[in-house]
Amino acid sequence: TFSSTQKMEYDPKVIYEMVQDKDVAEYHKKGGTEGFAKFFDSNMETGIDSATVQARQERYGVNKLPEGEKVTLLRLIWEALKDLMMRMLIVAATVSIIFGMTLPDPHDNKIHRETGWIDGTAILISVTGVVLVTAITDWDKAKKFEELNKAHAAKDVNVMRDGKRVTVDATELVVGDVLLVANGQLMDVDALYIQGQDLTADESVATGETDQQRKNNQEDPFFISGSNIIDGEGCGLVIAVGVHSFAGILAMSTRTEPKPTPLQEKLEKLAGQIGKIGG
């Protein structure tokens, strides 16, 4: 049965930092892959007891990301309209229309209602065009990204459970699983090297490192979620899944509202001051 009495405390942040920094010293400090296997009540040869899967999901999380807020075209249009420059142009266009329709032309001292709206309307049409193009482009990207995520999610992987090689859906992977990896495989979880032959990973998407990373127990035992196995075969011990994995934490961070840059803050402040003066 799955035991919860391990010598060291489970801390997803510590594991994430170890994987992110490729902290080999921390890895060896905790006993290497064997130490983590004992901690997670797993056997590096036979894997986990399949009866413990649910308990592991409850304790360490499931290998899924929570669904984000549904992206709609209307929301993207609203987001585009939040741009400071767009708002200033809309205000300028509105003022231009009002002044053009109500104030006399300084050249002939006459009010030209039939043409006074043209300049302001031209600005509004331009703003509308920019906003729609921006929103439609972002919406198209969001749809393609959503389709890509669904395609990646629907795949099978091989693990060792109860001493047998079994095939499970990638979303069913749990911490402690002994995951079989091979050339061409996308890593859906963070894992530690157990054994393998010429195992090499491309981690450029995950870490930006362009060099191919050879995996072994001494220099680089870390399989990073989001990376691709480009050569060799072997197996690894799953240590983080879902929102606690490297790729999961990165994905969740992109869902938060970005903080405004110092320049944006200054422009917002200036726009507020201009609004007060105009009022």
Side-chain angles (χ1 to χ4, degrees):
T1 59
F2 178 54
S3 170
S4 60
T5 57
Q6 287 95 349
K7 294 181 180 179
M8 55 182 179
E9 185 180 352
Y10 174 68
D11 188 341
K13 184 179 179 181
V14 171
I15 290 179
Y16 167 73
E17 290 175 348
M18 181 184 70
V19 172
Q20 179 188 39
D21 300 335
K22 290 192 174 183
D23 192 341
V24 180
E26 182 69 16
Y27 164 78
H28 287 298
K29 180 182 176 182
K30 290 188 177 347
T33 305
E34 185 177 356
F36 278 92
K38 290 179 179 178
F39 174 68
F40 290 127
D41 282 346
S42 180
N43 184 293
M44 294 195 296
E45 293 183 0
T46 61
I48 63 170
D49 181 347
S50 59
T52 68
V53 169
Q54 185 175 348
R56 291 173 185 275
Q57 289 177 330
E58 292 173 356
R59 183 170 185 187
Y60 303 118
V62 296
N63 196 32
K64 293 180 182 179
L65 297 182
E67 289 191 11
E69 189 176 344
K70 203 71 174 178
V71 176
T72 63
L73 184 58
L74 187 61
R75 179 189 169 192
L76 291 173
I77 290 174
W78 176 247
E79 290 296 325
L81 285 170
K82 286 183 179 180
D83 182 82
L84 179 61
M85 186 58 67
M86 293 297 102
R87 285 185 286 168
M88 292 181 72
L89 286 172
I90 291 172
V91 171
T94 304
V95 171
S96 176
I97 293 173
I98 294 173
F99 283 5
M101 298 286 288
T102 59
L103 297 181
D105 189 324
H107 295 95
D108 57 14
N109 204 32
K110 293 181 180 179
I111 299 176
H112 300 283
R113 289 190 174 88
E114 67 281 0
T115 59
W117 55 272
I118 294 177
D119 290 343
T121 302
I123 296 174
L124 288 177
I125 291 173
S126 298
V127 169
T128 301
V130 171
V131 167
L132 285 176
V133 169
T134 301
I136 291 173
T137 300
D138 290 343
W139 186 69
D140 187 51
K141 288 180 181 178
K143 286 296 180 183
K144 287 181 179 178
F145 185 71
E146 186 178 327
E147 291 172 3
L148 186 63
N149 279 344
K150 288 180 179 179
H152 278 311
K155 71 171 187 177
D156 292 333
V157 293
N158 295 314
V159 296
M160 294 298 296
R161 289 182 180 176
D162 304 317
K164 300 176 183 178
R165 175 173 174 158
V166 295
T167 301
V168 300
D169 189 276
T171 59
E172 297 173 3
L173 286 170
V174 294
V175 169
D177 261 328
V178 172
L179 174 65
L180 306 182
V181 295
N183 179 25
Q185 186 170 335
L186 173 70
M187 293 300 297
D188 300 280
V189 295
D190 294 333
L192 297 176
Y193 179 93
I194 294 177
Q195 61 87 20
Q197 183 175 359
D198 300 323
L199 266 173
T200 308
D202 175 5
E203 299 174 353
S204 57
V205 174
T207 66
E209 295 182 13
T210 55
D211 296 336
Q212 297 176 0
Q213 307 297 311
R214 181 64 66 88
K215 300 301 171 181
N216 55 65
N217 279 325
Q218 300 303 316
E219 298 175 354
D220 187 356
F222 306 106
F223 291 104
I224 302 177
S225 50
S227 62
N228 284 284
I229 305 301
I230 58 175
D231 195 18
E233 60 181 16
C235 59
L237 177 74
V238 177
I239 59 171
V241 300
V243 296
H244 299 309
S245 68
F246 179 88
I249 289 175
L250 186 63
M252 294 304 293
S253 69
T254 62
R255 297 185 184 183
T256 59
E257 285 289 330
K259 294 182 179 179
T261 64
L263 177 60
Q264 288 175 321
E265 290 178 344
K266 289 179 181 178
L267 288 173
E268 289 283 356
K269 186 177 180 181
L270 178 61
Q273 291 173 343
I274 293 174
K276 290 179 182 178
I277 294 172

